[in-house]
Amino acid sequence: MRFNLVLDLPDVPGQLLEALEPMGRLGANIVAVIHQRDVKTERGTVPVQITIEGDKETLDRVMDAMETKDIQIMAVDGVLRKEQITTVLVGDIVEEDVKDTVTLLNQLEGVRVADLDLKMSDEPRNSATKIVMEADFGQKKEVLKNIKEVGNQKGFLVINEV
């Protein structure tokens, strides 16, 4: 059995080795690795394509071990596991506490804030933040609805992607 994976790794020394470790330790064969450091996502991470093979039990153990290590698996055999969702919140986000807002978003089921870009204004209510989140595949509509609720709760103008 063979899996073609796309991992989303931070551009930090040692991340590829960290991702490969469970594969070797658990007995999966690494067939191919495509790692192009100069190709980055908008968040600055590096997509890495890896093909592994082994019996079903071995590959299941590898996938579980990678998830336990919080290695981001974006796709398996061409099927996306995570979707990126970008939203902009406009309002006094600093006074309304960036940390609390990120915590609320991270508490949404299957959601993780992956990147945040804050633009401050002389007029605090005109500050804006662009937030990139990863959500479980197929949950985008529900996540966008929940983001609107968080924004309304905090008094932000919410601009969700279409």
Side-chain angles (χ1 to χ4, degrees):
M1 179 174 216
R2 191 176 270 203
F3 280 168
N4 296 301
L5 308 174
V6 178
L7 308 181
D8 190 38
L9 300 178
D11 187 20
V12 176
Q15 293 301 303
L16 179 58
L17 183 60
E18 185 76 16
L20 295 174
E21 184 275 331
M23 297 172 200
R25 177 173 48 85
L26 295 170
N29 294 318
I30 299 170
V31 177
V33 176
I34 300 173
H35 176 260
Q36 297 175 302
R37 253 193 93 238
D38 54 339
V39 177
K40 293 189 175 88
T41 67
E42 68 179 38
R43 294 182 324 278
T45 58
V46 180
V48 177
Q49 299 172 23
I50 299 176
T51 302
I52 58 174
E53 63 183 10
D55 60 47
K56 181 178 179 351
E57 292 155 0
T58 298
L59 296 180
D60 286 344
R61 285 195 315 270
V62 167
M63 297 295 283
D64 289 343
M66 291 174 69
E67 288 177 0
T68 299
K69 291 179 91 164
D70 204 25
I71 296 168
Q72 297 300 307
I73 304 168
M74 298 300 288
V76 178
D77 290 334
V79 177
L80 287 177
R81 296 186 70 196
K82 299 282 184 184
E83 294 182 88
Q84 284 189 353
I85 299 171
T86 302
T87 194
V88 175
L89 303 176
V90 179
D92 198 355
I93 192 159
V94 176
E95 286 297 319
E96 291 296 323
D97 190 17
V98 174
K99 183 179 177 184
D100 182 57
T101 303
V102 170
T103 299
L104 285 171
L105 294 172
N106 280 335
Q107 287 174 347
L108 299 174
E109 188 172 338
V111 176
R112 178 181 79 91
V113 173
D115 191 29
L116 183 139
D117 186 20
L118 178 64
K119 299 294 182 196
M120 307 258 312
S121 171
D122 290 339
E123 183 61 42
R125 71 175 185 269
N126 292 332
S127 295
T129 185
K130 178 178 97 172
I131 301 175
V132 178
M133 291 158 281
E134 293 175 347
D136 291 340
F137 186 75
Q139 298 297 317
K140 189 173 195 171
K141 189 174 181 179
E142 184 68 20
V143 169
L144 291 173
K145 183 181 103 176
N146 289 332
I147 292 168
K148 274 278 199 213
E149 290 173 9
V150 168
N152 289 338
Q153 173 186 337
K154 296 234 171 221
F156 300 141
L157 167 63
V158 179
I159 304 169
N160 278 330
E161 61 186 51
V162 179

